[in-house]
Amino acid sequence: MITLERTSDWDVIRYCQSRNYDAWGKPLTLKQYFEREEINYKHSLCNLERDYSKQKLGDYYWVLKDSNAHSPVSDDPRLCTIVASCEILVRDAWVIDSAENEPKVKDCLSAVIGSVFTYPENRSKGYASKMLTLLVEKMQNILTGKYDFSFLYSEVGEFYSRFGFQSRHVPLVKIELNSYREEPRFPYHPLTTDFDECVAVYSSKLKNEMTTDASRDKNGKDMISFCVKPHVGTIEWFLNRSRHSAYSLAGQSKQEAANLVFGSTLETAESGFAIWLLDYRTKQATVLMLYASSFENFKKLVLICRNLVPAEFEALTFWESEIVDYDKSGVPKRKEVLSYVENELQARAGLDNSSLSAFRLLNMDVGDKGVRWICNGKSCWF
């Protein structure tokens, strides 16, 4: 008998993490990997230990069990029949449907899928497919709204298309860094914590973009546009990982890691801001959110990012969707922006993204409607 069960049992979760450690934990030690994951599972964004009967938002950890299987590394009856595992993070989202008489942005829920992993001895037996089939059913039981949706970032190509997910891949832009840093000659305000004002501005701009975007496409089809609602907790999730890698891998003290700079505004957040994460494993920084009120302010923000990222970091990466619509107007400025980053900054654009994005609406068939995914970028990733 094969079942998909939700768990918040730390012994079960740590067992699953020990099985996927080689793929996702190194170069951390196993103990450090457990520590990093526990920090975020106990954060309010994930809130793994919540009362699920009262709160949908947060993380759901799932294990696939086969009563006929037996783990080669554990005889514990709670663990020995687990053959695969995954999780979802449920967050608030927005949707707007141009088919309505008076289209307006509505609240809905989203579930991003992560940590999909079949244990080595159980591969090529159809477990991953069975788990995804059951997971979609679980999500449909939890997220029952008409416009509720799920999405993911795949590392295994188009595997998820067989479960109704539609691809929306976004290329990367990468700027190689060197030890030289050019101090900006204009006012700016580095950020270590307190991203509330930036997220509020970002949310407002995205909501305006969705309202502006509520129209039929060029062929006259109605459009559904959806967006994961920006949340400070998501930023904190990323930065917890950054700080952990700083003191676990780079030898920083926890106080030094707490004082790392992860963003900056210009004179005000309304003028522009950027927020990034730091990965001390790869020595790369990735921009999570960027907003600029003008092209000149966009160029200033890129200069700030290059200046404030630690000197030992080798590259600064953007998801293309984040920079070609830097003012969040919904009007891509691909030629202008990519020309600047390629010619002035010697960046490489159009790079393959190892995180291939895809989505599906959980409770409706879009039929002939078009679908737009607003703000498909690293800030939604999990």
Side-chain angles (χ1 to χ4, degrees):
M1 180 178 180
I2 297 177
T3 58
L4 185 65
E5 302 174 11
R6 180 184 59 77
T7 183
S8 55
D9 183 325
W10 283 105
D11 289 336
V12 174
I13 292 171
R14 289 192 179 102
Y15 169 78
C16 296
Q17 291 169 344
S18 72
R19 301 307 312 277
N20 64 41
Y21 165 70
D22 285 343
W24 296 325
K26 293 181 176 179
L28 298 171
T29 66
L30 182 59
K31 181 179 179 181
Q32 289 170 335
Y33 181 44
F34 288 164
E35 178 190 54
R36 186 192 72 183
E37 298 303 286
E38 186 170 337
I39 288 170
N40 275 331
Y41 284 134
K42 290 184 176 180
H43 185 276
S44 59
L45 177 73
C46 296
N47 197 12
L48 193 63
E49 298 173 331
R50 68 191 181 278
D51 182 343
Y52 290 79
S53 66
K54 296 180 180 179
Q55 186 175 348
K56 287 186 177 182
L57 299 179
D59 192 273
Y60 297 71
Y61 204 101
W62 304 96
V63 292
L64 187 74
K65 292 185 175 183
D66 183 345
S67 58
N68 294 318
H70 196 283
S71 169
V73 297
S74 177
D75 292 322
D76 187 324
R78 294 174 300 167
L79 310 177
C80 64
T81 60
I82 298 175
V83 295
S85 54
C86 64
E87 61 188 310
I88 61 173
L89 178 64
V90 176
R91 287 178 284 188
D92 287 316
W94 291 319
V95 65
I96 188 166
D97 188 343
S98 69
E100 296 182 338
N101 292 330
E102 297 182 10
K104 62 181 180 180
V105 177
K106 296 179 179 180
D107 293 330
C108 63
L109 293 176
S110 68
V112 57
I113 301 171
S115 304
V116 177
F117 196 83
T118 304
Y119 307 140
E121 69 274 11
N122 302 127
R123 291 173 185 164
S124 301
K125 298 179 180 179
Y127 284 128
S129 294
K130 183 63 175 178
M131 183 163 66
L132 264 293
T133 299
L134 293 173
L135 182 62
V136 169
E137 294 175 2
K138 296 286 188 183
M139 291 191 294
Q140 289 170 328
N141 289 333
I142 297 168
L143 281 67
T144 57
K146 177 181 178 180
Y147 294 105
D148 291 350
F149 62 93
S150 177
F151 65 103
L152 52 87
Y153 295 94
S154 169
E155 296 173 346
V156 288
E158 296 292 343
F159 170 75
Y160 295 93
S161 62
R162 69 183 74 173
F163 307 101
F165 287 85
Q166 300 179 30
S167 299
R168 290 289 190 275
H169 302 336
V170 180
L172 300 179
V173 175
K174 180 178 288 188
I175 302 173
E176 302 295 337
L177 301 175
N178 53 40
S179 58
Y180 173 71
R181 295 292 189 267
E182 180 183 351
E183 178 66 29
R185 299 179 181 178
F186 47 81
Y188 68 97
H189 305 286
L191 299 171
T192 57
T193 57
D194 191 10
F195 299 94
D196 297 75
E197 185 178 2
C198 295
V199 172
V201 170
Y202 199 79
S203 298
S204 175
K205 300 301 179 183
L206 290 181
K207 216 167 186 179
N208 288 339
E209 178 184 344
M210 293 184 73
T211 303
T212 303
D213 197 50
S215 59
R216 292 176 172 82
D217 71 4
K218 62 183 179 181
N219 296 316
K221 291 183 180 179
D222 287 315
M223 298 296 301
I224 295 174
S225 298
F226 66 87
C227 176
V228 178
K229 183 178 178 180
H231 192 285
V232 171
T234 305
I235 302 299
E236 293 171 349
W237 185 91
F238 279 108
L239 302 193
N240 282 341
R241 293 168 68 91
S242 294
R243 295 185 183 105
H244 187 274
S245 70
Y247 63 73
S248 297
L249 300 177
Q252 297 186 21
S253 68
K254 290 191 176 182
Q255 186 57 52
E256 288 172 326
N259 291 329
L260 285 169
V261 173
F262 292 108
S264 179
T265 66
L266 295 174
E267 292 190 81
T268 66
E270 284 283 354
S271 300
F273 64 85
I275 303 171
W276 55 82
L277 66 89
L278 302 172
D279 188 341
Y280 280 87
R281 296 174 304 167
T282 62
K283 295 294 192 295
Q284 293 193 43
T286 302
V287 172
L288 296 172
M289 291 182 176
L290 183 143
Y291 164 74
S293 59
S294 67
F295 186 49
E296 288 304 311
N297 282 347
F298 165 76
K299 292 191 285 186
K300 289 180 179 179
L301 287 170
V302 175
L303 177 60
I304 288 172
C305 294
R306 297 180 72 190
N307 184 64
L308 294 184
V309 166
E312 67 268 30
F313 273 54
E314 299 169 356
L316 175 67
T317 300
F318 300 83
W319 285 46
E320 189 177 294
S321 55
E322 196 63 31
I323 64 172
V324 299
D325 187 19
Y326 57 78
D327 61 1
K328 303 298 175 276
S329 64
V331 180
K333 301 152 191 73
R334 184 168 282 102
K335 184 176 180 180
E336 176 185 47
V337 170
L338 296 186
S339 175
Y340 170 72
V341 297
E342 289 180 314
N343 298 327
E344 298 296 324
L345 303 178
Q346 288 74 58
R348 290 180 293 153
L351 299 178
D352 288 342
N353 190 338
S354 61
S355 294
L356 304 179
S357 51
F359 77 94
R360 65 159 289 169
L361 292 171
L362 290 170
N363 305 309
M364 67 177 295
D365 182 356
V366 297
D368 292 333
K369 293 184 178 182
V371 181
R372 292 192 181 107
W373 183 349
I374 306 294
C375 192
N376 171 13
K378 187 67 174 181
S379 64
C380 298
W381 184 89
F382 178 65

